[in-house]
Amino acid sequence: MAETKGAQSIMEEKELQELIALTKRSLLPGLEIYSVNTGDPVRVNSAPEDWKLLGAGNYAGVFAHRDYPDTVVKVYAPGREGWESESEVYRKLGVHPAYSTCYYAGEHDGYYYLILKRLKGKTLYQCLIEGVPIPKSAIDDIDGALEYARSRGLNPHDVHGKNVMVSDGRGVVVDISDFLKDESCTMWDDLKRAYNRIYMPFLSRNPVPVPEWVMNGVRKGYRFMRHSSVLGRSS
């Protein structure tokens, strides 16, 4: 097990140890989380009482306990890689206002997990669907956060509308699990371009909800264009 240094200034040691014990005693023994396809999000069949599933990504599920509203436990599905690399990313990031903080990284009964500061807000994707304003300051915050990550020897990767949030008007980065990858990624630059060329002139003054089917169509179209672009460069 590895504890993230410097994080105890934010979460008290006693509270952290209590949450670690609760995770081992209550969450992990009754958890049913598994991976079906490496390209799809993990599946969570059930979570123990008093624990709420906040979301599931390609590697892990994120859970919150009602007694610890400012903290989450990210549990990796058995067989999924990424726990060690994500722990390393948080170690390199340290404490930064636009990122979560890793308080603890551990293993118990075959489950690898992280205890993290909970980030609250709405993803840019949610903001568009609900018609919630996306301030320019949030975009600038995320830009600064990604530059900070680069200064720490990391390579921001897979930064898109579902992985960044607006929290009290500020921008935060939710998912840093792929920041150790070497290949370049243009997702954030593409999103900023769409924000400046489409959102700012047409939606920023009077945001209206964008139907989810439209968002899904845009997402699929974007994936197709990126895939075609990659094939074009490799041919």
Side-chain angles (χ1 to χ4, degrees):
M1 298 182 186
E3 187 175 308
T4 302
K5 296 180 180 179
Q8 275 62 52
S9 60
I10 299 175
M11 187 177 189
E12 293 295 333
E13 176 67 23
K14 180 181 178 182
E15 184 182 20
L16 173 60
Q17 293 302 323
E18 290 173 349
L19 181 54
I20 292 171
L22 182 64
T23 298
K24 293 178 180 179
R25 182 180 70 251
S26 172
L27 174 60
L28 300 180
L31 188 61
E32 294 182 15
I33 179 172
Y34 61 96
S35 170
V36 177
N37 189 323
T38 56
D40 295 326
V42 301
R43 293 187 182 180
V44 180
N45 276 355
S46 65
E49 188 177 356
D50 296 334
W51 291 90
K52 179 181 180 181
L53 174 66
L54 299 181
N58 286 341
Y59 306 98
V62 179
F63 304 87
H65 191 275
R66 63 180 183 180
D67 293 337
Y68 296 87
D70 298 321
T71 315
V72 296
V73 181
K74 184 171 184 177
V75 183
Y76 277 73
R80 281 290 174 99
E81 299 179 351
W83 173 81
E84 289 185 355
S85 61
E86 186 162 2
S87 301
E88 176 65 8
V89 172
Y90 277 116
R91 186 191 68 79
K92 289 189 173 185
L93 286 174
V95 179
H96 187 280
Y99 293 101
S100 179
T101 299
C102 183
Y103 302 129
Y104 189 83
E107 182 274 339
H108 181 71
D109 284 347
Y111 283 110
Y112 290 86
Y113 65 96
L114 304 173
I115 295 180
L116 306 169
K117 179 181 74 173
R118 183 174 181 178
L119 297 176
K120 299 177 182 179
K122 293 183 182 294
T123 65
L124 300 195
Y125 184 86
Q126 289 174 310
C127 288
L128 289 172
I129 289 177
E130 298 175 19
V132 175
I134 303 173
K136 182 66 164 57
S137 58
I139 303 298
D140 294 339
D141 287 339
I142 296 166
D143 252 346
L146 300 183
E147 189 58 39
Y148 168 79
R150 295 185 187 98
S151 75
R152 306 288 289 186
L154 298 167
N155 180 35
H157 193 278
D158 199 31
V159 182
H160 53 74
K162 289 186 176 181
N163 282 348
V164 292
M165 275 185 177
V166 178
S167 177
D168 294 327
R170 308 309 302 260
V172 296
V173 182
V174 179
D175 192 346
I176 50 80
S177 56
D178 290 327
F179 276 30
L180 288 181
K181 288 189 174 180
D182 293 329
E183 63 264 28
S184 62
C185 180
T186 64
M187 284 188 175
W188 177 246
D189 289 335
D190 294 340
L191 190 153
K192 280 197 305 178
R193 193 175 297 114
Y195 179 87
N196 290 324
R197 294 181 180 179
I198 301 174
Y199 185 85
M200 285 300 290
F202 300 112
L203 293 173
S204 60
R205 293 185 179 180
N206 185 28
V208 295
V210 179
E212 191 163 8
W213 66 267
V214 173
M215 294 295 296
N216 286 332
V218 170
R219 178 175 57 83
K220 291 179 181 178
Y222 173 71
R223 283 187 174 182
F224 175 79
M225 287 188 294
R226 286 187 71 240
H227 182 67
S228 300
S229 176
V230 170
L231 290 178
R233 288 197 300 270
S234 62
S235 61

